[in-house]
Amino acid sequence: NQPQQRTQEYSLCADYSHSWEKWHLQTGAKGNLYITSDGKAFAAIDPSVCLSYVTSDFGKLSFVYGWQHQYLFQTGFSSMGLPTEFWFSCGKNSPPQYARSLSLTYDTELFDGDYSLSVGLYHKKLFHQVEYNGNMFDFLRTSYNLDELLLKGRGENYGINVMLDKRTGRLTGWVSYALGRA
């Protein structure tokens, strides 16, 4: 019988945008305060910056960097094909998850705007990741303790996304391909 978790989250955001000639800069920060049911508080600032180069004949090239904190975790039985995930909050035994991400995206229009092409590369470093290492029958034990069955560690994701979008004519739609590694 796991105790019920009640938490509070407060956020304050600020951003700034500036354009000059063919460049556009958007930067910001999000301040977070997260208070758990046992009174533990976590505070963080998540900065972000996006720098874009835009021309009518070249398209748009964007570079994005940012941090993101996550205070609620989702995990479950990875060995089953059933929807068996459950949620829990960070706390004294599980610090907040966070990620640093970096992406480079190129967008352009083709054939007088009838089509658009988008290609994106990304890389993300993950910290304090949590995965459930138990099985469905662990709940039946009288000494069940969730914290003993959680694996904690780091992760890394990277990959490429490509999308071709047909915008005009009787048939519209898109074709997309993503290749990633986690």
Side-chain angles (χ1 to χ4, degrees):
N1 186 16
Q2 293 296 312
Q4 191 174 35
Q5 297 177 328
R6 297 184 187 276
T7 62
Q8 299 175 44
E9 183 175 5
Y10 302 94
S11 298
L12 181 63
C13 303
D15 66 354
Y16 172 77
S17 294
H18 182 73
S19 296
W20 64 101
E21 296 182 21
K22 298 176 182 182
W23 293 91
H24 181 73
L25 173 69
Q26 185 171 356
T27 185
K30 177 181 174 187
N32 303 302
L33 175 63
Y34 190 82
I35 304 169
T36 65
S37 54
D38 59 2
K40 184 142 177 73
F42 297 95
I45 296 177
D46 295 336
S48 65
V49 63
C50 175
L51 181 63
S52 300
Y53 178 76
V54 182
T55 66
S56 59
D57 54 337
F58 173 74
K60 178 179 176 182
L61 184 65
S62 299
F63 170 79
V64 179
Y65 176 79
W67 284 41
Q68 301 87 25
H69 279 78
Q70 181 171 312
Y71 302 97
L72 292 175
F73 311 143
Q74 181 184 19
T75 190
F77 309 115
S78 58
S79 62
M80 295 179 65
L82 300 173
T84 55
E85 289 83 19
F86 52 92
W87 293 86
F88 62 97
S89 174
C90 65
K92 63 180 180 180
N93 296 328
S94 298
Q97 296 178 353
Y98 68 96
R100 292 188 306 231
S101 62
L102 183 67
S103 69
L104 182 65
T105 305
Y106 174 67
D107 298 298
T108 190
E109 292 184 348
L110 306 169
F111 306 109
D112 296 325
D114 292 345
Y115 291 84
S116 70
L117 175 68
S118 176
V119 178
L121 299 169
Y122 66 90
H123 183 263
K124 187 180 281 192
K125 294 285 272 184
L126 309 162
F127 301 91
H128 302 285
Q129 298 302 292
V130 176
E131 185 67 36
Y132 187 69
N133 191 32
N135 62 50
M136 201 164 79
F137 300 109
D138 289 330
F139 291 114
L140 302 175
R141 296 187 315 191
T142 56
S143 63
Y144 177 77
N145 183 348
L146 177 63
D147 287 327
E148 294 173 359
L149 297 170
L150 296 175
L151 295 175
K152 299 173 183 169
R154 296 182 188 164
E156 183 175 17
N157 299 338
Y158 53 90
I160 183 171
N161 300 315
V162 179
M163 185 171 83
L164 180 64
D165 183 13
K166 184 177 185 296
R167 300 176 174 176
T168 61
R170 289 181 50 146
L171 179 65
T172 61
W174 51 267
V175 175
S176 172
Y177 183 76
L179 177 64
R181 181 151 173 96

